Amino acid sequence: MSVLIVGSTALDSIKTPKAENPRLLGGSASHAAVAASFFGPVKLIGVVGEDFPKRYIQIYKRHRIDLEGLQILPGKTFHWSGEYEANMNNRRTLLTELGVFETFTPTLLNSHQNASFVLLANIAPSLQIHVLDQMQRPKFVVADTMDLWLNIALPDLLKLVKRLDAFVLNDSEAHQLTKEGNVFSALKKIHKLGPKYVIIKKGSHGSLLSGPQGIFICPAFPLHKVVDPTGAGDSFVGGMIGYLATADGPIERNMRRAMVYGSVVASFCCEGFGLTSTTRINRKQIDQRVRALERLTRF
Ligand code: AMP
């Protein structure tokens, strides 16, 4: 079953204490789509400007990502720039230029509307709602977000969250949304907003799932060297939905393993700038790391 992904398709300029890389292929949908592509077919909904390098289109194509829903419009591609502190966890946004995303209101093709698995990757909640409104009868809808939308578009975000099967956010966003210092109390409060599954990402400390089967503590793969964590959250949710869409059996039974797969793809993402590491791996390497994580966490 294919996965439909909408989100940002961007040029990312990233600065770490060790290096600086301008205008890399980035965006929440790019990271998520490449991550999901290791498991099955992916359809991408996004927009880029005429300045978007052709070699980046080739990267999507090499991952067999369906680009029928990727518009190329006159104007500039969404450009985001961020800088990491020495700990590689704290990040400061230096610049966000929406470009062609400012007026993007996609009309979905029939073949997109009947997708069973939908990932509303990080982008304005109004756009996530616009896409969800056009879906026919999806089996599973998950959305990711960021602090910006909690700050400037909370009413829209709450409207969206009500309609989701799963909502993914990081620990500081969960705290901001619920005003709860305790992460388990925050999970409970977020369930009350609608979603059956709530996933809280905790960066290099892994993630937490809360759902009908209770709590699951998902480990992060231990990395000795983080080159650039940009897109790790998007790779996590992309890998997770990619696995879910292709796994046999009911979603409830596959959720935990799906998160572990997401966690592993995210670990590869952190080992290179932008998408450089993620685009070099294969399914076999992903499976190997999943087995290593199983050994590390069994007791
Ligand atoms: P993450 O590191 O998982 O938080 O995701 C980083 C990605 O989010 C980068 O590739 C950015 O292009 C993208 N991004 C940053 N700001 C925004 C925004 N306001 N809307 C959508 N995507 C964004």
Side-chain angles (χ1 to χ4, degrees):
M1 266 187 250
S2 69
V3 176
L4 184 84
I5 299 180
V6 64
S8 56
T9 37
L11 298 173
D12 283 355
S13 297
I14 303 166
K15 207 169 159 185
T16 68
K18 295 235 168 85
E20 198 170 338
N21 274 291
R23 303 178 91 75
L24 296 165
L25 173 60
S28 57
S30 305
H31 281 281
V34 170
S37 74
F38 294 109
F39 304 92
V42 177
K43 295 170 195 263
L44 178 67
I45 307 288
V47 65
V48 295
E50 283 163 332
D51 57 345
F52 194 69
K54 297 225 167 25
R55 66 181 189 284
Y56 292 171
I57 299 277
Q58 290 310 319
I59 293 179
Y60 293 136
K61 286 189 175 164
R62 274 207 298 280
H63 285 264
R64 296 173 308 280
I65 296 166
D66 179 316
L67 298 177
E68 255 193 309
L70 180 71
Q71 294 179 31
I72 303 176
L73 296 182
K76 290 202 163 165
T77 302
F78 180 104
H79 181 206
W80 174 81
S81 169
E83 179 175 13
Y84 288 89
E85 287 178 17
N87 68 11
M88 296 300 280
N89 270 327
N90 301 342
R91 177 171 82 192
R92 203 160 58 94
T93 290
L94 302 173
L95 169 115
T96 305
E97 290 171 336
L98 285 180
V100 286
F101 252 105
E102 202 149 4
T103 52
F104 183 55
T105 42
T107 303
L108 266 56
L109 301 168
N110 250 335
S111 57
H112 291 147
Q113 291 175 348
N114 54 31
S116 301
F117 287 79
V118 181
L119 167 54
L120 307 168
N122 174 34
I123 195 72
S126 56
L127 183 55
Q128 293 174 310
I129 291 172
H130 176 75
V131 169
L132 185 54
D133 281 344
Q134 295 176 64
M135 297 308 300
Q136 278 164 6
R137 223 176 315 136
K139 196 170 161 194
F140 185 81
V141 181
V142 55
D144 191 7
T145 195
M146 73 187 292
D147 55 351
L148 175 69
W149 311 121
L150 290 164
N151 291 331
I152 69 166
L154 186 60
D156 279 346
L157 185 63
L158 292 176
K159 266 188 231 156
L160 171 77
V161 170
K162 232 187 246 172
R163 300 170 60 187
L164 300 175
D165 296 290
F167 185 36
V168 180
L169 67 179
N170 69 30
D171 44 6
S172 61
E173 291 154 6
H175 173 64
Q176 187 180 344
L177 179 62
T178 62
K179 312 282 176 283
E180 268 297 342
N182 180 294
V183 75
F184 300 104
S185 307
L187 283 169
K188 240 184 179 169
K189 279 197 176 171
I190 301 170
H191 273 303
K192 290 205 178 116
L193 300 175
K196 183 172 174 184
Y197 297 98
V198 181
I199 294 167
I200 295 185
K201 298 172 288 181
K202 289 147 60 72
S204 57
H205 301 292
S207 53
L208 287 174
L209 164 73
S210 170
Q213 265 94 0
I215 298 274
F216 172 58
I217 300 169
C218 177
F221 187 82
L223 288 181
H224 294 276
K225 193 168 161 221
V226 171
V227 175
D228 168 26
T230 307
D234 312 309
S235 306
F236 168 80
V237 71
M240 183 188 94
I241 197 166
Y243 178 85
L244 270 186
T246 52
D248 290 332
I251 287 170
E252 310 83 84
R253 223 176 50 206
N254 294 323
M255 264 317 264
R256 290 180 169 208
R257 184 159 281 271
M259 281 179 67
V260 174
Y261 270 92
S263 183
V264 161
V265 182
S267 73
F268 283 110
C269 171
C270 293
E271 291 182 302
F273 262 95
L275 271 152
T276 46
S277 166
T278 323
T279 49
R280 282 193 193 131
I281 58 166
N282 56 44
R283 178 66 194 263
K284 201 170 151 204
Q285 289 167 285
I286 295 171
D287 289 336
Q288 273 167 0
R289 271 198 187 176
V290 167
R291 283 195 294 275
L293 259 192
E294 271 182 315
R295 286 193 297 275
L296 278 169
T297 53
R298 190 179 304 140
F299 65 91

